[in-house]
Amino acid sequence: MSEAASRYSAKLGAVLAAVIGLLGAAWIIFHIGFQPIFAAISSAGWGGFALLCLFGLANFTLLGFAWHALVPCAALDILTFCWGRAVRDSAGDVLPLSQIGGMVIGARAVMLRGLARTRAFGSTIVDITLEMIAQLAFIAAGVAILVTRLPELRSGSLVKAGAIAIAVGAMLAAAFVIVQRRGFGIFERMAQRLLPAAALHAAELDRTINEIHAAPRRLLTGFGLHLLGWLSAAFGLWLALALVGYRTPYANAVAIESLLCALRSATVFIPGAIGVQEAGYAVMMPLFGLPAEIGVAVSLLKRAREIAVGVPVLLSWQFAEGRRAFAPAAQLRPSLHD
């Protein structure tokens, strides 16, 4: 299959997955009822929605700090990484792309600000790995809360699914780390034989990743900040519930959000987890005494926030791309190398 055909197939698959998810979300809203869902959304008000948007910006900042902590180069200001992280997440949430597509765009964004290609992609790879490991800890905490507060579910399918997600995620994370520590050397040797011109980039990427892995303090800082980021996501759920008039203990929000994260990770091929997020909240909210329509209302509020925050972020990225495309070569920001 040609490269063009492969790209077309990938795009077609993403579009079909998005359409199926959208139809699923529409069915859930129709089944539960428009009136209770939109009544809950309206109860948040414009002030509540603005607060959710501010929370989203704060979370981008926290995750930007986590990314910045990995880069062994202090020449770039931290706002660059906060913006790059906002572009990464906004692309995955707003555009019809998988999360992987958002990661590539996020790395491209910091390159526009002067970070070398290998540093941008190398730090992105390690940052994703640390976020995955922190997510596993977050899911484990959620499962523990679930079985503690709802002991009747200990042998249920939801707990088993969470345990399987943790086990599979741990194996994937371990494999990802092994590839980073040893695999890129193999890729470099293959490139030297097959594509000598690409071998230099593979070697530079390998050196960048190994340099980051050689700094345990940076890795621990990145992991800790990502764990705070996941806990912050649970706080965002708690805040959204409070804004629509339903207060629940923060621990319950951790359990619900962590299991939803596991569900979203399992369906990463669906752009924006359309339909998956709505179904997940609708199923899990009643476990903690909350109506299913409140779960759907919170999901729609989160999506509205993602659009309200993400569209301006993506426009800023497009503006930066356009400015670089038309700027004279002498005015381009030089890349920051070792």
mmCIF file with all atom_site columns, all heavy atoms in Angstrom, residues 56-66 78-79 82 85:
data_model
loop_
_atom_site.group_PDB
_atom_site.id
_atom_site.type_symbol
_atom_site.label_atom_id
_atom_site.label_alt_id
_atom_site.label_comp_id
_atom_site.label_asym_id
_atom_site.label_entity_id
_atom_site.label_seq_id
_atom_site.pdbx_PDB_ins_code
_atom_site.Cartn_x
_atom_site.Cartn_y
_atom_site.Cartn_z
_atom_site.occupancy
_atom_site.B_iso_or_equiv
_atom_site.pdbx_formal_charge
_atom_site.auth_seq_id
_atom_site.auth_comp_id
_atom_site.auth_asym_id
_atom_site.auth_atom_id
_atom_site.pdbx_PDB_model_num
ATOM 1   N N   . GLY A 1 56 ? -9.117 25.306 33.036 1.00 0.00 ? 56 GLY A N   1
ATOM 2   C CA  . GLY A 1 56 ? -8.439 24.654 31.923 1.00 0.00 ? 56 GLY A CA  1
ATOM 3   C C   . GLY A 1 56 ? -7.107 25.301 31.606 1.00 0.00 ? 56 GLY A C   1
ATOM 4   O O   . GLY A 1 56 ? -6.106 24.607 31.364 1.00 0.00 ? 56 GLY A O   1
ATOM 5   N N   . LEU A 1 57 ? -7.049 26.633 31.635 1.00 0.00 ? 57 LEU A N   1
ATOM 6   C CA  . LEU A 1 57 ? -5.790 27.338 31.390 1.00 0.00 ? 57 LEU A CA  1
ATOM 7   C C   . LEU A 1 57 ? -4.768 27.046 32.483 1.00 0.00 ? 57 LEU A C   1
ATOM 8   O O   . LEU A 1 57 ? -3.573 26.877 32.214 1.00 0.00 ? 57 LEU A O   1
ATOM 9   C CB  . LEU A 1 57 ? -6.054 28.846 31.295 1.00 0.00 ? 57 LEU A CB  1
ATOM 10  C CG  . LEU A 1 57 ? -6.853 29.308 30.075 1.00 0.00 ? 57 LEU A CG  1
ATOM 11  C CD1 . LEU A 1 57 ? -7.187 30.793 30.187 1.00 0.00 ? 57 LEU A CD1 1
ATOM 12  C CD2 . LEU A 1 57 ? -6.086 29.036 28.788 1.00 0.00 ? 57 LEU A CD2 1
ATOM 13  N N   . ALA A 1 58 ? -5.241 26.971 33.732 1.00 0.00 ? 58 ALA A N   1
ATOM 14  C CA  . ALA A 1 58 ? -4.344 26.656 34.842 1.00 0.00 ? 58 ALA A CA  1
ATOM 15  C C   . ALA A 1 58 ? -3.765 25.249 34.694 1.00 0.00 ? 58 ALA A C   1
ATOM 16  O O   . ALA A 1 58 ? -2.584 25.011 34.989 1.00 0.00 ? 58 ALA A O   1
ATOM 17  C CB  . ALA A 1 58 ? -5.089 26.790 36.170 1.00 0.00 ? 58 ALA A CB  1
ATOM 18  N N   . ASN A 1 59 ? -4.582 24.315 34.209 1.00 0.00 ? 59 ASN A N   1
ATOM 19  C CA  . ASN A 1 59 ? -4.100 22.948 34.035 1.00 0.00 ? 59 ASN A CA  1
ATOM 20  C C   . ASN A 1 59 ? -3.064 22.871 32.921 1.00 0.00 ? 59 ASN A C   1
ATOM 21  O O   . ASN A 1 59 ? -2.084 22.128 33.023 1.00 0.00 ? 59 ASN A O   1
ATOM 22  C CB  . ASN A 1 59 ? -5.279 22.020 33.733 1.00 0.00 ? 59 ASN A CB  1
ATOM 23  C CG  . ASN A 1 59 ? -5.020 20.603 34.203 1.00 0.00 ? 59 ASN A CG  1
ATOM 24  O OD1 . ASN A 1 59 ? -4.501 20.383 35.291 1.00 0.00 ? 59 ASN A OD1 1
ATOM 25  N ND2 . ASN A 1 59 ? -5.382 19.635 33.389 1.00 0.00 ? 59 ASN A ND2 1
ATOM 26  N N   . PHE A 1 60 ? -3.256 23.648 31.848 1.00 0.00 ? 60 PHE A N   1
ATOM 27  C CA  . PHE A 1 60 ? -2.240 23.719 30.795 1.00 0.00 ? 60 PHE A CA  1
ATOM 28  C C   . PHE A 1 60 ? -0.909 24.216 31.373 1.00 0.00 ? 60 PHE A C   1
ATOM 29  O O   . PHE A 1 60 ? 0.159  23.722 31.012 1.00 0.00 ? 60 PHE A O   1
ATOM 30  C CB  . PHE A 1 60 ? -2.687 24.674 29.687 1.00 0.00 ? 60 PHE A CB  1
ATOM 31  C CG  . PHE A 1 60 ? -3.772 24.127 28.795 1.00 0.00 ? 60 PHE A CG  1
ATOM 32  C CD1 . PHE A 1 60 ? -4.682 24.984 28.186 1.00 0.00 ? 60 PHE A CD1 1
ATOM 33  C CD2 . PHE A 1 60 ? -3.878 22.776 28.547 1.00 0.00 ? 60 PHE A CD2 1
ATOM 34  C CE1 . PHE A 1 60 ? -5.674 24.490 27.350 1.00 0.00 ? 60 PHE A CE1 1
ATOM 35  C CE2 . PHE A 1 60 ? -4.873 22.269 27.714 1.00 0.00 ? 60 PHE A CE2 1
ATOM 36  C CZ  . PHE A 1 60 ? -5.771 23.135 27.116 1.00 0.00 ? 60 PHE A CZ  1
ATOM 37  N N   . THR A 1 61 ? -0.994 25.183 32.253 1.00 0.00 ? 61 THR A N   1
ATOM 38  C CA  . THR A 1 61 ? 0.215  25.740 32.862 1.00 0.00 ? 61 THR A CA  1
ATOM 39  C C   . THR A 1 61 ? 0.948  24.688 33.679 1.00 0.00 ? 61 THR A C   1
ATOM 40  O O   . THR A 1 61 ? 2.169  24.534 33.590 1.00 0.00 ? 61 THR A O   1
ATOM 41  C CB  . THR A 1 61 ? -0.146 26.939 33.754 1.00 0.00 ? 61 THR A CB  1
ATOM 42  O OG1 . THR A 1 61 ? -0.816 27.930 32.969 1.00 0.00 ? 61 THR A OG1 1
ATOM 43  C CG2 . THR A 1 61 ? 1.101  27.547 34.377 1.00 0.00 ? 61 THR A CG2 1
ATOM 44  N N   . LEU A 1 62 ? 0.198  23.939 34.488 1.00 0.00 ? 62 LEU A N   1
ATOM 45  C CA  . LEU A 1 62 ? 0.809  22.883 35.300 1.00 0.00 ? 62 LEU A CA  1
ATOM 46  C C   . LEU A 1 62 ? 1.500  21.847 34.419 1.00 0.00 ? 62 LEU A C   1
ATOM 47  O O   . LEU A 1 62 ? 2.646  21.446 34.685 1.00 0.00 ? 62 LEU A O   1
ATOM 48  C CB  . LEU A 1 62 ? -0.279 22.225 36.159 1.00 0.00 ? 62 LEU A CB  1
ATOM 49  C CG  . LEU A 1 62 ? 0.150  21.017 37.000 1.00 0.00 ? 62 LEU A CG  1
ATOM 50  C CD1 . LEU A 1 62 ? 1.222  21.403 37.999 1.00 0.00 ? 62 LEU A CD1 1
ATOM 51  C CD2 . LEU A 1 62 ? -1.058 20.415 37.706 1.00 0.00 ? 62 LEU A CD2 1
ATOM 52  N N   . LEU A 1 63 ? 0.833  21.411 33.362 1.00 0.00 ? 63 LEU A N   1
ATOM 53  C CA  . LEU A 1 63 ? 1.406  20.403 32.475 1.00 0.00 ? 63 LEU A CA  1
ATOM 54  C C   . LEU A 1 63 ? 2.566  20.978 31.662 1.00 0.00 ? 63 LEU A C   1
ATOM 55  O O   . LEU A 1 63 ? 3.493  20.245 31.298 1.00 0.00 ? 63 LEU A O   1
ATOM 56  C CB  . LEU A 1 63 ? 0.320  19.858 31.549 1.00 0.00 ? 63 LEU A CB  1
ATOM 57  C CG  . LEU A 1 63 ? -0.830 19.136 32.264 1.00 0.00 ? 63 LEU A CG  1
ATOM 58  C CD1 . LEU A 1 63 ? -1.901 18.716 31.271 1.00 0.00 ? 63 LEU A CD1 1
ATOM 59  C CD2 . LEU A 1 63 ? -0.324 17.930 33.033 1.00 0.00 ? 63 LEU A CD2 1
ATOM 60  N N   . GLY A 1 64 ? 2.525  22.277 31.386 1.00 0.00 ? 64 GLY A N   1
ATOM 61  C CA  . GLY A 1 64 ? 3.660  22.922 30.729 1.00 0.00 ? 64 GLY A CA  1
ATOM 62  C C   . GLY A 1 64 ? 4.896  22.910 31.604 1.00 0.00 ? 64 GLY A C   1
ATOM 63  O O   . GLY A 1 64 ? 6.018  22.699 31.122 1.00 0.00 ? 64 GLY A O   1
ATOM 64  N N   . PHE A 1 65 ? 4.720  23.114 32.909 1.00 0.00 ? 65 PHE A N   1
ATOM 65  C CA  . PHE A 1 65 ? 5.832  23.022 33.847 1.00 0.00 ? 65 PHE A CA  1
ATOM 66  C C   . PHE A 1 65 ? 6.433  21.617 33.834 1.00 0.00 ? 65 PHE A C   1
ATOM 67  O O   . PHE A 1 65 ? 7.656  21.454 33.924 1.00 0.00 ? 65 PHE A O   1
ATOM 68  C CB  . PHE A 1 65 ? 5.364  23.374 35.260 1.00 0.00 ? 65 PHE A CB  1
ATOM 69  C CG  . PHE A 1 65 ? 5.456  24.832 35.594 1.00 0.00 ? 65 PHE A CG  1
ATOM 70  C CD1 . PHE A 1 65 ? 4.474  25.720 35.186 1.00 0.00 ? 65 PHE A CD1 1
ATOM 71  C CD2 . PHE A 1 65 ? 6.528  25.327 36.316 1.00 0.00 ? 65 PHE A CD2 1
ATOM 72  C CE1 . PHE A 1 65 ? 4.554  27.073 35.491 1.00 0.00 ? 65 PHE A CE1 1
ATOM 73  C CE2 . PHE A 1 65 ? 6.622  26.676 36.632 1.00 0.00 ? 65 PHE A CE2 1
ATOM 74  C CZ  . PHE A 1 65 ? 5.628  27.557 36.219 1.00 0.00 ? 65 PHE A CZ  1
ATOM 75  N N   . ALA A 1 66 ? 5.572  20.593 33.747 1.00 0.00 ? 66 ALA A N   1
ATOM 76  C CA  . ALA A 1 66 ? 6.059  19.211 33.712 1.00 0.00 ? 66 ALA A CA  1
ATOM 77  C C   . ALA A 1 66 ? 6.921  18.963 32.483 1.00 0.00 ? 66 ALA A C   1
ATOM 78  O O   . ALA A 1 66 ? 7.957  18.281 32.559 1.00 0.00 ? 66 ALA A O   1
ATOM 79  C CB  . ALA A 1 66 ? 4.868  18.250 33.736 1.00 0.00 ? 66 ALA A CB  1
ATOM 80  N N   . ILE A 1 78 ? 9.394  29.329 30.171 1.00 0.00 ? 78 ILE A N   1
ATOM 81  C CA  . ILE A 1 78 ? 8.442  28.281 30.509 1.00 0.00 ? 78 ILE A CA  1
ATOM 82  C C   . ILE A 1 78 ? 7.097  28.491 29.822 1.00 0.00 ? 78 ILE A C   1
ATOM 83  O O   . ILE A 1 78 ? 6.353  27.537 29.570 1.00 0.00 ? 78 ILE A O   1
ATOM 84  C CB  . ILE A 1 78 ? 8.276  28.198 32.038 1.00 0.00 ? 78 ILE A CB  1
ATOM 85  C CG1 . ILE A 1 78 ? 7.642  26.864 32.420 1.00 0.00 ? 78 ILE A CG1 1
ATOM 86  C CG2 . ILE A 1 78 ? 7.459  29.361 32.567 1.00 0.00 ? 78 ILE A CG2 1
ATOM 87  C CD1 . ILE A 1 78 ? 7.795  26.521 33.867 1.00 0.00 ? 78 ILE A CD1 1
ATOM 88  N N   . LEU A 1 79 ? 6.771  29.745 29.472 1.00 0.00 ? 79 LEU A N   1
ATOM 89  C CA  . LEU A 1 79 ? 5.513  30.011 28.777 1.00 0.00 ? 79 LEU A CA  1
ATOM 90  C C   . LEU A 1 79 ? 5.460  29.304 27.424 1.00 0.00 ? 79 LEU A C   1
ATOM 91  O O   . LEU A 1 79 ? 4.383  28.947 26.939 1.00 0.00 ? 79 LEU A O   1
ATOM 92  C CB  . LEU A 1 79 ? 5.325  31.516 28.587 1.00 0.00 ? 79 LEU A CB  1
ATOM 93  C CG  . LEU A 1 79 ? 5.033  32.315 29.860 1.00 0.00 ? 79 LEU A CG  1
ATOM 94  C CD1 . LEU A 1 79 ? 4.910  33.801 29.529 1.00 0.00 ? 79 LEU A CD1 1
ATOM 95  C CD2 . LEU A 1 79 ? 3.770  31.813 30.532 1.00 0.00 ? 79 LEU A CD2 1
ATOM 96  N N   . CYS A 1 82 ? 4.188  25.880 28.209 1.00 0.00 ? 82 CYS A N   1
ATOM 97  C CA  . CYS A 1 82 ? 2.767  25.944 28.573 1.00 0.00 ? 82 CYS A CA  1
ATOM 98  C C   . CYS A 1 82 ? 1.907  26.119 27.329 1.00 0.00 ? 82 CYS A C   1
ATOM 99  O O   . CYS A 1 82 ? 0.864  25.467 27.183 1.00 0.00 ? 82 CYS A O   1
ATOM 100 C CB  . CYS A 1 82 ? 2.527  27.095 29.554 1.00 0.00 ? 82 CYS A CB  1
ATOM 101 S SG  . CYS A 1 82 ? 3.355  26.898 31.146 1.00 0.00 ? 82 CYS A SG  1
ATOM 102 N N   . ARG A 1 85 ? 1.984  22.871 25.326 1.00 0.00 ? 85 ARG A N   1
ATOM 103 C CA  . ARG A 1 85 ? 1.095  21.861 25.901 1.00 0.00 ? 85 ARG A CA  1
ATOM 104 C C   . ARG A 1 85 ? -0.360 22.201 25.602 1.00 0.00 ? 85 ARG A C   1
ATOM 105 O O   . ARG A 1 85 ? -1.180 21.302 25.342 1.00 0.00 ? 85 ARG A O   1
ATOM 106 C CB  . ARG A 1 85 ? 1.324  21.773 27.411 1.00 0.00 ? 85 ARG A CB  1
ATOM 107 C CG  . ARG A 1 85 ? 0.441  20.733 28.100 1.00 0.00 ? 85 ARG A CG  1
ATOM 108 C CD  . ARG A 1 85 ? 0.710  19.347 27.533 1.00 0.00 ? 85 ARG A CD  1
ATOM 109 N NE  . ARG A 1 85 ? -0.359 18.418 27.813 1.00 0.00 ? 85 ARG A NE  1
ATOM 110 C CZ  . ARG A 1 85 ? -0.193 17.238 28.409 1.00 0.00 ? 85 ARG A CZ  1
ATOM 111 N NH1 . ARG A 1 85 ? 1.016  16.864 28.798 1.00 0.00 ? 85 ARG A NH1 1
ATOM 112 N NH2 . ARG A 1 85 ? -1.202 16.430 28.609 1.00 0.00 ? 85 ARG A NH2 1
#
